[in-house]
């Protein structure tokens, strides 16, 4: 397959992207920065890593070993190139596998799990991306559904391990139900808005495997000022 790749420079990282696939976006930054770095997390996994953007971002804040799992061969090839380009092969490993299959043999192995999953369910009237068969699985639940992601996270995480996820706020009731069903306790939640006086677009969630009840709703996060420019605290997440 012929692909058009570009290289993005961000935080001293060189990130290869394919314009027909998932690209670097603010969701990845928000999810990576939602975590409070700590040395107690020594084994980290990213479900659906695509071009390894989240492991690359995390490498700026931790020396822990990081595994990225991705089902698409083309995405894995780019992810591996990104790891090698940034000389992070000793810290980050990319696995080309279905998340559901991978989790079967990784029982209670990881301290921390990140996931920026496909947001949209697939139905008869789904508006699938016709331009790129590579982009569709990153946005739509073609290969894995939300419930399967959380079930796989339940297997892969240690007792007390943490799941960090970003998703559509409109699916929050479903997310809470599935997390509770799998005995995850939500500890922190933050709604993400494009601008003030608009509905929330995203929600950031941190949940603990077999954790105790008790949840904090954090201050809302606004991305843009009224003129469309980025808010100061958002720029700080990109810059520091």
């Amino acid at each position: 397959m012929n692909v058009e790749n570009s290289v993005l420079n961000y935080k001293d990282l060189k990130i290869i992207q394919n314009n027909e696939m998932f690209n670097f976006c603010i969701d990845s930054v928000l999810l990576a920065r939602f975590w409070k770095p700590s040395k107690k997390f020594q084994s980290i996994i990213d479900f659906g890593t695509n071009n390894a953007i989240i492991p690359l971002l995390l490498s700026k804040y931790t020396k822990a070993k990081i595994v990225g799992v991705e089902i698409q061969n083309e995405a894995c090839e780019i992810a591996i190139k990104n790891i090698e380009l940034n000389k992070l092969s000793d810290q980050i490993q990319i696995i080309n596998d279905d998340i559901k299959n991978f989790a079967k043999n990784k029982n209670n192995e990881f301290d921390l799990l990140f996931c920026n999953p496909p947001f949209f369910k697939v139905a008869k009237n789904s508006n699938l991306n016709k331009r790129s068969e590579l982009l569709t699985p990153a946005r739509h639940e073609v290969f894995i559904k939300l419930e399967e992601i959380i079930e796989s996270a339940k297997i892969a995480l240690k007792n007390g391990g943490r799941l960090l996820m970003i998703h559509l706020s409109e699916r929050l009731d479903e997310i809470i139900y599935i997390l509770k069903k799998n005995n995850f306790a939500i500890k922190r939640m933050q709604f993400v808005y494009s601008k003030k006086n608009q509905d929330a677009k995203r929600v950031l969630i941190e949940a603990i495997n077999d954790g105790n009840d008790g949840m904090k709703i954090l201050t809302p996060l606004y991305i843009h000022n009224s003129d469309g420019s980025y808010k100061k605290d958002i720029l700080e997440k990109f810059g520091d």
Side-chain angles (χ1 to χ4, degrees), residues 46 48-51 68-72 75-76 94-98:
D46 178 33
T49 198
N50 206 280
N51 64 356
V69 182
E70 173 58 47
I71 193 171
Q72 294 193 84
C76 279
I94 303 299
I95 303 293
N96 187 190
D97 200 357
D98 185 309

Side-chain angles (χ1 to χ4, degrees), residues 155-240:
I155 297 170
L157 282 169
K158 297 175 182 177
N159 291 344
R162 295 179 183 249
L163 164 64
L164 285 94
M165 176 185 294
I166 186 167
H167 216 299
L168 297 176
S169 56
E170 65 190 53
R171 293 186 67 179
L172 180 58
D173 58 341
E174 180 185 4
I175 295 168
I176 292 174
Y177 171 77
I178 298 172
L179 286 171
K180 285 288 188 181
K181 180 180 176 182
N182 287 276
N183 205 31
F184 279 94
I186 299 176
K187 305 309 291 183
R188 293 191 301 142
M189 183 184 300
Q190 186 171 38
F191 290 99
V192 182
Y193 298 77
S194 179
K195 296 179 181 178
K196 288 187 176 181
N197 302 317
Q198 294 184 354
D199 293 338
K201 299 294 185 183
R202 305 279 192 269
V203 61
L204 289 157
I205 291 173
E206 178 182 10
I208 298 182
N209 184 22
D210 296 327
N212 297 321
D213 290 336
M215 174 174 54
K216 290 183 178 180
I217 304 295
L218 305 182
T219 303
L221 192 60
Y222 299 98
I223 305 299
H224 299 288
N225 294 304
S226 58
D227 63 359
S229 60
Y230 282 113
K231 302 281 288 185
K232 181 181 178 182
D233 55 341
I234 298 300
L235 290 174
E236 289 172 351
K237 290 181 185 295
F238 274 90
D240 64 3

Side-chain angles (χ1 to χ4, degrees), residues 6 16-25 28 50-51 53 135:
S6 60
I16 301 171
Q17 303 190 120
N18 173 356
N19 59 11
E20 292 189 352
M21 299 175 67
F22 173 87
N23 280 327
F24 177 88
C25 67
S28 301
N50 206 280
N51 64 356
I53 179 60
L135 182 59

